[in-house]
Amino acid sequence: MKIGCPTEIKPQEFRVGITPIAAQEAVGRGHEVIVQSGAGAGAGFDDAAYEAVGARIIATAEEVFAKADMIVKVKEPQAVERKMLREGQLLFTYLHLAPDEAQTRDLLASGCTAIAYETVTDRAGGLPLLAPMSEVAGRLAPQMGAWTLQKANGGRGVLMGGVPGVGPARVIVIGGGVVGTHAARIAAGMGADVTVLDRSLPRLRYLDDVFGGTFKTGYSSAGLLDELLPQADMVIGAVLIPGAAAPKLVRRDQFPMMKPGAALVDVAIDQGGCFETSRATTHADPVYEVDGIMHYCVANMPGAVARTSTLALGNATMPFMLALADKGWKKACADDPHLLAGLNVHAGQLTYAAVGEALGIESVHPESLL
């Protein structure tokens, strides 16, 4: 198979879909790997690193898309990239289709087969290709929120850990999954007073057993959130419904009860955001204000630490990429129901029910395509 890796073109996105290590594995199995010149530069991998393991460097994205049987990326294809996709081509990347009707319809029109990292599953019911970026984003969220809280950035001017005689920042983390757990650990490590909210009692018990008094836990409800919001200096949104749009958990009409300059950090922004006033921002212009409340809603947070993120993502995606290359998408998905769960689009048909429900588009069962 010819595996193509174009340079990411989403603003401030420095990650790359294939590492030299992954390229070496693919070449060793007899596949051809073609990488756009400069694709790995943002993550610290120059063209020579790819050439040294047998990959071929190509000048333009147009050539990569034209030659490759499978395109491996990080972020969802942008409009100009979607025009280069063709019938029968395989796309393996993050898609986040539920809040993005334009992308969904373009992928359907292209005739390609698109497998989304974020809906591939594992035996434990987890999301193994989303998990490494969730870990990175969770650990970044308090760091970015602390920056947003600085007065020069429009925030309250509150230090996360306080100082002797002055109390720490109060942080609410909504969602106790991978993102929320890592966010709570880092925020608590910075000295903040942290409360994690979740609707799974077994998950709350797990967090309490493992982390003890590191942070507090609470059963997520509208009433408890109303009680906690007036005290909060920072709210981190870390909810996820796999493949579906994120629920709106903090409304604009609740802002008057909050402290002016409080920070909302929306890690769910790729799935549409979990705050009513969330809209995607970039690393170049990450923060905006609504009714005195500061919002940090960067849609590719892990791109800020591109090398760590690329290596972590590459470790997770490589086995699936190699299976797709070795077997083709149909046999790879037939052999692995967890990979089949990643199938979102095939030959003009939507194959992920949650996306169909979010966008009002009819979907088919992916099993029916095997």
Side-chain angles (χ1 to χ4, degrees):
M1 185 176 282
K2 291 183 179 178
I3 305 169
C5 179
T7 301
E8 297 293 326
I9 60 172
K10 193 165 186 175
Q12 303 294 304
E13 180 52 71
F14 303 109
R15 290 172 290 180
V16 62
I18 297 178
T19 64
I21 291 171
Q24 183 177 12
E25 290 285 334
V27 170
R29 291 174 180 238
H31 304 294
E32 183 179 353
V33 178
I34 50 179
V35 179
Q36 185 180 351
S37 181
F45 303 117
D46 59 19
D47 290 350
Y50 290 98
E51 290 177 315
V53 298
R56 188 155 60 98
I57 300 298
I58 289 184
T60 67
E62 288 81 2
E63 290 177 274
V64 173
F65 277 83
K67 293 177 183 296
D69 304 308
M70 173 167 61
I71 297 292
V72 181
K73 284 176 44 57
V74 178
K75 292 306 291 180
E76 72 280 359
Q78 303 301 289
V80 66
E81 295 174 312
R82 299 197 293 268
K83 292 177 182 177
M84 294 187 274
L85 290 166
R86 65 179 186 273
E87 185 175 349
Q89 195 167 41
L90 179 58
L91 173 66
F92 191 38
T93 188
Y94 287 116
L95 292 177
H96 301 291
L97 295 180
D100 193 345
E101 184 173 354
Q103 184 200 174
T104 304
R105 294 198 179 278
D106 283 352
L107 292 181
L108 292 171
S110 75
C112 78
T113 298
I115 296 178
Y117 293 163
E118 72 275 7
T119 63
V120 173
T121 58
D122 62 21
R123 288 193 182 97
L127 302 170
L129 305 190
L130 189 62
M133 296 303 93
S134 295
E135 291 163 354
V136 172
R139 291 181 178 222
L140 274 176
Q143 179 178 321
M144 299 309 187
W147 181 85
T148 304
L149 277 177
Q150 293 178 29
K151 195 65 180 177
N153 300 320
R156 282 179 45 74
V158 173
L159 183 66
M160 288 286 275
V163 292
V166 181
R170 293 189 173 184
V171 177
I172 301 172
V173 179
I174 307 177
V178 176
V179 170
T181 301
H182 284 267
R185 286 180 61 190
I186 297 301
M190 296 170 79
D193 179 341
V194 181
T195 301
V196 178
L197 305 181
D198 199 277
R199 288 200 164 187
S200 166
L201 287 174
R203 184 64 183 177
L204 293 176
R205 291 190 187 100
Y206 167 83
L207 293 175
D208 196 57
D209 288 344
V210 172
F211 297 102
T214 306
F215 48 77
K216 294 171 280 190
T217 59
Y219 185 82
S220 187
S221 67
L224 181 57
L225 198 56
D226 281 344
E227 182 182 320
L228 294 177
L229 280 177
Q231 308 168 26
D233 297 295
M234 183 191 305
V235 181
I236 297 173
V239 294
L240 173 71
I241 300 174
K248 306 301 182 187
L249 300 177
V250 177
R251 306 182 311 276
R252 186 170 186 171
D253 62 19
Q254 293 173 301
F255 289 180
M257 72 171 64
M258 297 180 67
K259 301 173 182 177
L264 300 181
V265 181
D266 198 338
V267 190
I269 192 63
D270 273 331
Q271 294 292 128
C274 59
F275 308 132
E276 182 186 356
T277 46
S278 292
R279 57 175 172 81
T281 60
T282 68
H283 292 292
D285 187 17
V287 175
Y288 63 93
E289 175 265 332
V290 177
D291 298 343
I293 304 301
M294 304 307 299
H295 294 59
Y296 182 97
C297 303
V298 173
N300 60 330
M301 284 178 63
V305 286
R307 187 170 181 87
T308 297
S309 297
T310 293
L311 290 168
L313 181 60
N315 291 341
T317 60
M318 183 167 61
F320 294 98
M321 180 192 76
L322 294 174
L324 290 167
D326 290 347
K327 302 176 181 180
W329 78 267
K330 188 170 285 191
K331 187 172 192 315
C333 288
D335 290 348
D336 185 354
H338 303 295
L339 181 58
L340 180 63
L343 186 66
N344 279 215
V345 171
H346 171 66
Q349 299 178 92
L350 188 65
T351 59
Y352 202 82
V355 174
E357 291 166 9
L359 298 178
I361 300 174
E362 185 178 350
S363 64
V364 300
H365 291 293
E367 294 85 355
S368 67
L369 302 174
L370 301 180

